[in-house]
Amino acid sequence: MSVEQYFPFWPKLTDAQRDLLQSAVSSARFEAGNILHAGSSDCAGLFIVVKGRLRAYTLSGEGKELTLYRLLERDICLFSASCIMRSIQFDVMISAEEPTDVLRIPPDVYKTLMEQSAAVAGYTNELMAARFSEVMWLMDQLLNRKLDSRLAAFLLEERGLSGADILPLTHERVAAHLGSAREVVTRLLRYFQSEGLVQLERGSIALTNIDGLYRTAGDSLR
Amino acid sequence: MSVEQYFPFWPKLTDAQRDLLQSAVSSARFEAGNILHAGSSDCAGLFIVVKGRLRAYTLSGEGKELTLYRLLERDICLFSASCIMRSIQFDVMISAEEPTDVLRIPPDVYKTLMEQSAAVAGYTNELMAARFSEVMWLMDQLLNRKLDSRLAAFLLEERGLSGADILPLTHERVAAHLGSAREVVTRLLRYFQSEGLVQLERGSIALTNIDGLYRTAGDSLR
């Protein structure tokens, strides 16, 4: 459970700060579908992904989801500790997409370190800037890319994450990722099928023309 | 040209840090329409708005604008110093909306202070979190609010900024703010006129039913 390897600021901490951080860390495991953080009222702390995958998303008033970004191995989830900054005034949901092992750092401990150490606060700036960049990328996509290229890019991204050409995804899940309606996604997937890009089965989508999907995705690939 | 009043971290700086910051500050004036910062290749430094108004916006590949947020008196523009953080990987444009007096802090000076002082780095975190919150608010608007309520909210916001009921705005400017097409905005403004909410003149929009605009804006008001 050593956190040393996850934080580039470790060499700049004092012995007392290292002790404080290391003794406060605990480990936890979440099953696929578990929600780790539900909006700004929650403040469980920072999560470090040791193994598995987390998804950050927003929820509209009517319950429509939109995936903001994914957190993979060694990524650090800052917004699950949103109470450490009073200017974070938005709600992000974090859930596990597969069985996920994490290390948890309590928010008060991290806040203390941020207040004492310019290295910790600077690192936190970089973390937030990285997430901000992902959200700005997504906003450009939403405003300026057509849904067909976003759908193709999403399918290729899922393929990259799972390593398989058959994706166990319902149309509802795809719509939630893209912030779109289920009917719209179903229509587009049927069009993709008629073009030979995918083969639709109950509860899964098989990618049958990877080159074609890359062409359709175009600039929408990250 | 004292910067003391603008930075809450001032009392936590050493004398040497105060001297460094104070001696590096310069003042500048921008006319309405001047561009202060054009994407991540620019890195003029932090700007403090002394008087006037700045607008932060994005630009799509086809030149479509979308207003992200405004910076008013005493606000600090962080992204014009985007080179101080390597994780800022998106392009924001900053322009003056009216004659604007600013104080400028060179990026290398601010970066030095951030590296030395947890208070400066922590303050920078709060600045970024505040802008991040505005962008998340905007994304929710774009995804989940109808354009009519966003248009009404925008007109009321402009009224608040200018203090007048007659707004010198072309339909093109309104479309650029909302990230929409000029034709769509013109159609909606004509509908607003038929409802008695506004009176359209060449190059201006008169607000004729403030209560009605508030009702139309609903949840879209910040």
Side-chain angles (χ1 to χ4, degrees):
Chain A
M1 279 206 325
S2 167
V3 291
E4 182 177 345
Q5 55 172 315
Y6 295 105
F7 289 123
F9 54 68
W10 185 265
K12 294 192 178 163
L13 296 182
T14 64
D15 287 343
Q17 288 166 342
R18 287 180 192 179
D19 287 347
L20 173 67
L21 181 54
Q22 189 58 65
S23 64
V25 173
S26 59
S27 64
R29 186 185 172 85
F30 295 95
E31 299 306 320
N34 283 178
I35 289 176
L36 287 71
H37 173 75
S40 57
S41 55
D42 261 19
C43 200
L46 264 80
F47 290 111
I48 304 170
V49 180
V50 175
K51 196 171 172 0
R53 187 164 91 223
L54 302 178
R55 180 170 78 100
Y57 60 101
T58 58
L59 217 48
S60 75
E62 299 86 52
K64 198 167 78 170
E65 294 183 7
L66 173 73
T67 298
L68 296 174
Y69 51 81
R70 257 70 172 266
L71 296 166
L72 308 180
E73 234 164 85
R74 304 187 69 81
D75 280 340
I76 292 175
C77 182
L78 179 65
F79 292 126
S80 50
S82 55
C83 59
I84 61 175
M85 271 177 255
R86 63 179 165 66
S87 305
I88 296 181
Q89 293 180 338
F90 54 91
D91 290 332
V92 169
M93 310 282 295
I94 316 275
S95 70
E97 283 201 306
E98 45 185 65
T100 301
D101 294 318
V102 302
L103 295 178
R104 185 181 81 88
I105 297 159
D108 53 326
V109 167
Y110 195 82
K111 192 173 182 184
T112 300
L113 292 175
M114 264 179 66
E115 283 164 1
Q116 289 178 1
S117 159
V120 177
Y123 174 73
T124 312
N125 268 314
E126 291 288 349
L127 266 187
M128 186 151 46
R131 303 298 171 251
F132 204 158
S133 297
E134 302 219 50
V135 167
M136 291 297 292
W137 177 89
L138 178 64
M139 192 145 80
D140 176 60
Q141 290 284 315
L142 290 169
L143 281 174
N144 300 315
R145 310 291 163 187
K146 295 217 180 75
L147 192 63
D148 60 345
S149 75
R150 289 175 56 217
L151 174 59
F154 170 69
L155 294 174
L156 291 169
E157 198 182 320
E158 287 297 304
R159 177 176 180 257
L161 287 170
S162 70
D165 283 355
I166 298 178
L167 308 172
L169 284 171
T170 64
H171 300 189
E172 228 126 26
R173 292 306 304 150
V174 178
H177 278 288
L178 299 174
S180 182
R182 212 258 313 141
E183 300 73 25
V184 176
V185 166
T186 294
R187 204 182 318 136
L188 201 50
L189 280 169
R190 287 195 185 134
Y191 170 74
F192 275 23
Q193 181 166 254
S194 72
E195 296 282 299
L197 297 171
V198 302
Q199 177 71 40
L200 303 177
E201 304 288 346
R202 199 187 177 79
S204 77
I205 300 167
L207 311 189
T208 49
N209 180 349
I210 303 298
D211 286 351
L213 285 169
Y214 271 104
R215 275 195 299 278
T216 307
D219 287 343
S220 291
L221 278 170
R222 258 177 244 239
Chain B
M1 278 209 325
S2 166
V3 290
E4 182 178 344
Q5 55 171 314
Y6 295 105
F7 288 124
F9 55 67
W10 186 265
K12 294 192 178 162
L13 296 181
T14 64
D15 286 345
Q17 288 166 341
R18 288 180 192 180
D19 286 349
L20 173 66
L21 181 54
Q22 188 59 63
S23 65
V25 173
S26 59
S27 63
R29 185 186 173 85
F30 296 94
E31 299 306 320
N34 282 178
I35 289 175
L36 286 72
H37 173 76
S40 56
S41 54
D42 260 19
C43 200
L46 264 80
F47 290 112
I48 304 169
V49 180
V50 175
K51 196 172 172 355
R53 188 164 89 223
L54 303 178
R55 180 170 79 100
Y57 60 102
T58 59
L59 217 48
S60 76
E62 299 85 52
K64 197 168 78 170
E65 295 183 7
L66 173 72
T67 299
L68 295 173
Y69 50 81
R70 259 72 171 264
L71 297 166
L72 310 179
E73 232 165 87
R74 306 188 68 80
D75 281 339
I76 292 175
C77 183
L78 179 65
F79 293 124
S80 51
S82 54
C83 60
I84 60 174
M85 271 176 255
R86 63 179 165 66
S87 305
I88 296 181
Q89 292 179 340
F90 54 90
D91 290 332
V92 169
M93 311 281 295
I94 316 274
S95 70
E97 284 201 305
E98 46 185 63
T100 301
D101 294 317
V102 302
L103 295 178
R104 185 181 82 87
I105 298 159
D108 53 326
V109 167
Y110 195 80
K111 192 173 182 184
T112 300
L113 291 175
M114 261 180 66
E115 283 163 2
Q116 290 178 0
S117 159
V120 176
Y123 175 73
T124 312
N125 268 313
E126 292 287 349
L127 265 187
M128 186 150 46
R131 302 297 171 253
F132 203 157
S133 298
E134 301 219 50
V135 167
M136 290 297 292
W137 178 89
L138 178 64
M139 192 145 78
D140 176 61
Q141 290 283 316
L142 291 169
L143 282 174
N144 301 313
R145 310 290 164 188
K146 295 217 178 75
L147 191 63
D148 60 345
S149 76
R150 290 175 54 218
L151 174 58
F154 170 69
L155 294 174
L156 290 169
E157 198 182 322
E158 287 298 305
R159 177 176 180 258
L161 288 169
S162 69
D165 284 353
I166 298 177
L167 308 172
L169 286 169
T170 65
H171 300 190
E172 228 126 25
R173 293 304 306 150
V174 177
H177 277 286
L178 299 175
S180 181
R182 212 259 312 141
E183 300 74 23
V184 176
V185 166
T186 294
R187 204 182 318 136
L188 200 50
L189 280 170
R190 285 192 187 138
Y191 170 74
F192 275 23
Q193 180 165 255
S194 73
E195 295 283 299
L197 297 171
V198 303
Q199 177 72 40
L200 304 177
E201 304 288 346
R202 201 188 175 82
S204 77
I205 300 167
L207 312 188
T208 48
N209 180 350
I210 302 300
D211 286 350
L213 285 168
Y214 270 104
R215 274 194 301 276
T216 306
D219 286 344
S220 292
L221 279 170
R222 259 176 243 239

